Amino acid sequence: MADDLAADYPLADRIPAALSGPTSSLAGLRILVTGFGVTGFPAAVHLAERGAEVVLVDGDATKDMAEKTAILEVFDVDIRRGPEAVAGLPEGTFDLVVTSPGWTPDQPVLAAAIAAGIPIIGEVELAWRIRGTNDAAWLAITGTNGKTTTTTMLESMLLAAGLRAKACGNIGAPLLEAVLEPGLEVLAIELSSFQLHWEFSMSATSAVVLNLAPDHVDWHGSVDAYARDKAKIYEHVRDACVYNVADAATKTMVENAEVVAGARAIGFTTGIPAPGELGVVDDLLVDRAFIPQRYTAAAEIASLADVARAAGTPGQRPADHQIANALAAAALARSIDVPGQAIAAGLKNHALGAHRMVTVAETDGVRWVDDSKATNTHAAAASLASFDPIVWIAGGLPKGADFTELFAANADRLKALILIGVDDAAFRAAAAAGAPDLDIVRIDPLPEDAAADPAVRGAAVMDAAVAAAATIAVPGDTVLLAPAAASMDQFLNYSTRGELFAHAVEQLPGR
């Protein structure tokens, strides 16, 4: 494993060995933590508590962080905030940089650390190294779309099996906190490509890449770089590398991964499964991978009705992407011997996360659906495929994506586009190429001087978008917020965007 790590990361031998285990002293080490958020704060606390001299930097000095600051000051953490704090490395020498996921490698602080030969790791690498004697199984999940739903489905299955399990990582508890929590038997870990970029030695029990589509090109620099970071989740896997039969790129990732001897490749498909796969026969989810008689038979593990309930659409046939999510979660659960009854029970007990195709209202025959979590083209495509006809609210930070195929594939089901976002050029070009006859209503962004509070500007934009949609939608239509883009140009995050949508719908005349 050490040799593999050295090949993957030339500075591996400079990562302090004292990090290993949760209690060894870090006295004498000077560590830089970048980011004062969900990742940076617990990392700074943990490292300082173990005796390291910690400097924490963050470019934003406007947020109220008084409570967290008071805690960090107890451990003598040196906190530096504002643009000047991230313009380069602080003075002095550092033994290690622990960075938060959103920080791109070309950030001045990180670029300077790379140039100085200082090793950089993220929360996943830190958590893997400090886990010590914690032998909880790591079931890791990534992909362009469906990560959160699959992770929460998996957690529900594990709990139904009576296991002490927790969803963590990119959702739920920070991974660093989860790995230090005593008594947990299984971690259901959602990982973004940002988190995987700064990870080098994780050896998950089992892992899955759900699917792959261009995303976050602005962060990674290219589609290939994005895919390489996603593929890291399979490196050093010990039991099962789960892949999507319908997405050849995920199988190729498995084939190219350096895994622990004995690890198996397990496919999932929304069709009839071959040996070594999970899939669908009639209205049943079945396993032909984890049973001895897989070459001649299949074992029932759940039903499509169970998936429909998990997806929040009881009584309907679930969409293919929801079936795929359930099968991926089931494959990870089966890799650690979770029985079929627990998989079915977990799906029945599953609660769909907020802002994921949630119907917020049905009024005068019009359905209003919040899928603000659809922050890329792949997620938006799954959402658009679920409704017809659609008044579509979309737009935001495009992240370098091309939306032409999205428009072309859904032109027949789109009644109108309500276009939000500061920069609408990519959406307009794609609409012109893929759906040239589509009616577009542009919601102009409010200038910064229109309201001092950016939250007020975001609310005004969403109010206008919902009002415009209400003048177009007729009984039988679905008004769908599935932006296909990130939210931060006009909203605090995708959750805020969804909440403002629901509030604006609630305020419509007659509601």
Side-chain angles (χ1 to χ4, degrees), residues 36-106:
F36 201 170
V38 174
T39 298
F41 171 70
V45 169
H46 175 78
L47 296 168
E49 194 173 20
R50 289 171 58 187
E53 179 188 346
V54 176
V55 178
L56 184 148
V57 297
D58 193 292
D60 185 355
T62 62
K63 293 180 182 177
D64 181 5
M65 308 296 281
E67 185 175 347
K68 291 183 177 180
T69 296
I71 294 171
L72 292 175
E73 287 176 345
V74 171
F75 297 101
D76 295 323
V77 173
D78 182 355
I79 303 169
R80 308 183 186 190
R81 300 174 65 191
E84 67 284 354
V86 296
L89 277 175
E91 73 287 348
T93 60
F94 289 91
D95 301 284
L96 180 70
V97 174
V98 177
T99 187
S100 298
W103 289 57
T104 58
D106 61 357

Side-chain angles (χ1 to χ4, degrees), residues 27 52 96 135 140 152 154 164 189 194 266 279 332 343 372 408 410 418:
L96 180 70
D135 59 356
T152 55
L154 174 60
R164 294 187 297 277
I189 308 169
F194 305 157
I266 304 295
L332 293 175
I343 289 170
S372 185
N410 295 283
I418 311 298

Side-chain angles (χ1 to χ4, degrees), residues 170-189:
N170 203 40
I171 64 167
L175 181 55
L176 187 61
E177 293 180 2
V179 80
L180 293 171
E181 183 174 331
L184 289 178
E185 297 173 290
V186 190
L187 304 181
I189 308 169

